[in-house]
Amino acid sequence: MKLPIYLDYHSTTPVDPEVFKTMAPYFTEVFGNAASRNHEYGWTAEAAVEHARLQVAQLIGATDKEIIFTSGATESNNLALLGVAEMYAEKGNHIITSPIEHKAILDTCAHLERKGYEITYLEVDQYGMVSPESVRDAITDKTILVSIMMANNEIGTINPMAEIGKVCKEKGVLFHTDAVQGVGKIEVDVQKMGIDLLSLTAHKIYGPKGVGALYVRRKNPRVRVSAMVHGGGHERGMRSGTLNVPGIVGLGKAAEMARKNLNTDIPRIKALRDRLWDGIRSQLDEVYLNGHPTERLPINLNVSFAYVEGESLMMGMKELAVSSGSACTSASLEPSYVLKAIGVGEDLAHTSIRYSLGKFTTEEEVDYAIEKTVSTVRKLRDLSPLYEMAKEGIDLKTVAWTGH
Amino acid sequence: MAYTKKVIEHFENPKNIGSLDKNSLNVGTGLVGAPECGDVMKLQVEIDETTHIIKDAKFKTFGCGSAIASSSLATEWLKGKTIDQAMAIRNTDIVEELSLPPIKIHCSVLAEDAIKAAIGDYLKKNEAKKAGTEAVAVKA
């Protein structure tokens, strides 16, 4: 067993050796520019790109012509939001999203707000879920786009995509989803879910970093986005720039593997995730699950360990590579905005740890993680004045703290 | 974030964890910080009433590794010091000893606050006691 144990698959995944093997020749041998239409080097590169386009399309129930390659999901999200905002500016200036989206959505929305667009941030429930009814209520005749994430990267809650898609269709409003955390983990079908634009990235599904895609619907309705990157008219004019052929080949292979392995890898990972949670909660009191109990990604476990600060917990169990919603782990010194939005108190937000499992996680690793978590929480609770006070029966909410 | 060796050493083997009897007249207790801010320190000192020397110091801290290390270090420094010497400990001394980065300076500030609060509590208790004995003396 290699230490530290990697339990941070939400943040990135290793490239699958098979993906890596598929990519390798495209760096050195098949190095042509996919836009070179006049010789063999260009043709083979182009064929590889088109094969990858089909592989990506098949993962999400789309057709190959609807896939635009980008540098990753941040770019895909930017292109979807800014591109739709510009293209449909005459129709309206209103966009609906949620407060717990990834920063690639929130920061882009803030940028649009400064440019005069109106953004509605729908409230989410205590599990971080958006209700289709709230989407319906927020749509006005100025609404041009609804952008709701498929699944949340911190708490793993899965949104009711098909229901939200249905509302958007009825109202004639485009529906974009940041599906970075959804694809490869749950079944995704842009037809069944009524999705018009979808962002995904390779490095969350065992592909390389620096490559992603935006799905742009071509039929019912035909969606158009204004280009943000200009220069050559690649990718149907929506995204110029020489294509990252090895990266795209890697994304394609990763997408194909994700589709083929969905029914074998995911149930195994889910069982390990459940084993981790059961192991923790059977041995520790006052641990709280953040996010939805059932409608959650099979790889995600987000737990608040009351009375123990998240960063010290991570320091105490440095053999585990996890992440925390604690303020101390962020540059801003603010605890997680996602936990805040779902009503987790700041006191508990500081104590949260996110574990995310993947296809290389083993039972042995999970058992080690349980033991390490339990022993570290116990050690730090012995050190915690809050745990001592709580055990003495003091209600911490009534204490006059000297916050600074 | 990478931690300095000294922070890790204090975090992994914290000195003087525990509690002293907060009702004892010789014990001063400081409780500073807030759970919402992510750090709370409880620091206690036991002071010899004739020599005014700190005989013992204990802490419990909810907070990041640097907060735990700062309070562990503070209790180490407090033992054997007089009240005046203890009150002279500055957060910058802790920053220097542990090589805390700018983002962790507030941990050292909290430790200084905890020292002052603990000694303040002791002094308050003992002024009351003194006032009490004087009142008794006058009565007699």
Side-chain angles (χ1 to χ4, degrees):
Chain A
M1 195 168 60
K2 190 185 154 212
L3 294 177
I5 294 166
Y6 191 74
L7 291 170
D8 204 13
Y9 282 82
H10 266 310
S11 89
T12 195
T13 59
V15 173
D16 188 288
E18 215 174 307
V19 170
F20 186 61
K21 213 172 80 192
T22 313
M23 290 170 69
Y26 292 90
F27 286 100
T28 49
E29 295 158 42
V30 193
F31 60 86
N33 187 328
S36 298
R37 293 273 160 76
N38 41 9
H39 53 63
E40 179 74 24
Y41 293 90
W43 298 330
T44 38
E46 192 192 11
V49 167
E50 293 315 311
H51 180 60
R53 207 183 292 283
L54 185 65
Q55 288 169 315
V56 173
Q58 283 172 342
L59 178 63
I60 59 170
T63 63
D64 52 353
K65 287 196 172 61
E66 297 173 308
I67 303 299
I68 305 295
F69 290 117
T70 66
S71 63
T74 295
E75 188 192 334
S76 299
N77 284 334
N78 269 263
L79 178 57
L81 266 59
L82 302 175
V84 165
E86 189 176 314
M87 182 61 77
Y88 296 86
E90 278 182 18
K91 191 187 167 230
N93 68 340
H94 180 223
I95 292 171
I96 297 169
T97 188
S98 90
I100 64 169
E101 297 292 314
H102 189 270
K103 290 289 181 189
I105 296 288
L106 295 178
D107 289 351
T108 308
C109 283
H111 172 77
L112 284 169
E113 270 180 310
R114 286 192 294 272
K115 296 187 84 176
Y117 285 84
E118 281 189 32
I119 315 286
T120 297
Y121 300 91
L122 298 174
E123 269 184 35
V124 291
D125 69 11
Q126 58 178 321
Y127 303 122
M129 201 179 268
V130 171
S131 95
E133 282 315 303
S134 71
V135 175
R136 184 190 300 276
D137 294 344
I139 292 175
T140 70
D141 54 1
K142 292 278 178 215
T143 309
I144 50 174
L145 182 68
V146 171
S147 179
I148 300 293
M149 69 197 331
M150 186 170 283
N152 185 269
N153 51 305
E154 284 191 32
I155 53 177
T157 298
I158 302 167
N159 274 312
M161 285 288 110
E163 289 80 358
I164 297 170
K166 203 171 146 219
V167 168
C168 294
K169 201 110 299 179
E170 276 170 36
K171 296 278 188 178
V173 173
L174 296 179
F175 178 30
H176 166 254
T177 186
D178 172 358
V180 163
Q181 301 293 353
V183 294
K185 298 172 187 78
I186 55 173
E187 219 163 291
V188 177
D189 187 313
V190 291
Q191 303 304 343
K192 285 184 197 155
M193 293 173 164
I195 295 163
D196 298 311
L197 299 118
L198 178 149
S199 305
L200 61 85
T201 192
H203 78 100
K204 311 277 193 193
I205 55 169
Y206 310 94
K209 291 164 186 66
V211 60
L214 179 67
Y215 156 78
V216 184
R217 179 177 285 278
R218 263 166 72 95
K219 252 203 266 174
N220 304 319
R222 182 183 179 86
V223 179
R224 293 180 306 153
V225 296
S226 295
M228 294 298 118
V229 179
H230 305 275
H234 308 71
E235 298 299 278
R236 291 166 52 214
M238 287 189 248
R239 202 275 191 181
S240 289
T242 298
L243 291 176
N244 168 10
V245 178
I248 288 167
V249 167
L251 168 58
K253 183 67 187 173
E256 182 195 297
M257 290 178 72
R259 181 169 61 86
K260 288 189 174 157
N261 299 337
L262 190 67
N263 294 326
T264 49
D265 280 351
I266 294 301
R268 192 187 69 82
I269 297 170
K270 184 176 181 293
L272 288 177
R273 191 274 314 273
D274 293 343
R275 182 185 181 92
L276 177 60
W277 179 218
D278 290 342
I280 289 170
R281 66 175 160 174
S282 64
Q283 296 180 68
L284 291 171
D285 62 340
E286 297 213 51
V287 292
Y288 304 99
L289 182 71
N290 297 313
H292 203 284
T294 53
E295 292 301 305
R296 76 185 295 132
L297 290 174
I299 73 161
N300 175 287
L301 181 65
N302 190 314
V303 183
S304 284
F305 297 91
Y307 318 120
V308 177
E309 197 276 328
E311 188 191 335
S312 65
L313 194 46
M314 283 173 61
M315 197 172 159
M317 46 188 209
K318 58 182 186 307
E319 296 84 356
L320 310 181
V322 293
S323 85
S324 170
S326 154
C328 292
T329 59
S330 76
S332 64
L333 284 182
E334 285 291 321
S336 152
Y337 67 94
V338 174
L339 295 180
K340 206 171 164 185
I342 63 170
V344 174
E346 289 203 8
D347 50 345
L348 275 180
H350 282 289
T351 73
S352 76
I353 294 286
R354 180 189 73 180
Y355 303 83
S356 46
L357 289 65
K359 69 174 174 184
F360 300 117
T361 307
T362 65
E363 196 172 292
E364 189 192 9
E365 288 178 331
V366 167
D367 289 346
Y368 184 90
I370 294 169
E371 195 228 300
K372 199 73 213 174
T373 301
V374 169
S375 63
T376 310
V377 169
R378 283 187 179 146
K379 180 186 162 192
L380 290 173
R381 279 183 174 172
D382 281 345
L383 223 107
S384 169
L386 303 179
Y387 192 62
E388 180 183 70
M389 291 164 84
K391 290 292 148 195
E392 283 171 11
I394 298 168
D395 180 0
L396 296 177
K397 301 248 183 290
T398 65
V399 176
W401 299 105
T402 56
H404 59 106
Chain B
M1 187 182 305
Y3 300 95
T4 61
K5 264 195 192 139
K6 280 181 182 164
V7 169
I8 293 171
E9 170 54 26
H10 274 285
F11 176 77
E12 287 182 348
N13 303 296
K15 310 292 184 306
N16 313 309
I17 302 170
S19 299
L20 300 169
D21 177 11
K22 64 180 175 231
N23 298 317
S24 159
L25 268 182
N26 295 334
V27 172
T29 302
L31 182 68
V32 297
E36 291 76 23
C37 303
D39 30 36
V40 174
M41 281 181 196
K42 188 188 80 168
L43 193 148
Q44 294 182 302
V45 287
E46 188 182 350
I47 298 175
D48 186 302
E49 51 191 309
T50 47
T51 61
H52 296 297
I53 284 173
I54 297 169
K55 291 197 299 192
D56 201 2
K58 297 270 185 211
F59 84 95
K60 282 201 174 189
T61 291
F62 162 84
C64 65
S66 304
I68 289 170
S70 296
S71 29
S72 169
L73 175 67
T75 53
E76 278 289 276
W77 277 355
L78 283 172
K79 285 199 270 184
K81 283 203 165 54
T82 64
I83 290 176
D84 290 342
Q85 287 168 335
M87 291 299 264
I89 295 173
R90 291 286 166 263
N91 81 294
T92 45
D93 305 332
I94 295 168
V95 171
E96 203 176 318
E97 174 66 18
L98 296 176
S99 310
L100 295 179
I103 200 162
K104 294 297 183 189
I105 286 175
H106 71 275
C107 299
S108 68
V109 174
L110 206 60
E112 185 188 320
D113 288 353
I115 294 171
K116 296 210 155 64
I119 290 175
D121 180 57
Y122 168 81
L123 292 175
K124 213 171 109 190
K125 268 187 190 172
N126 284 275
E127 264 166 37
K129 188 181 78 171
K130 240 187 265 166
T133 33
E134 273 163 21
V136 172
V138 170
K139 222 179 173 183

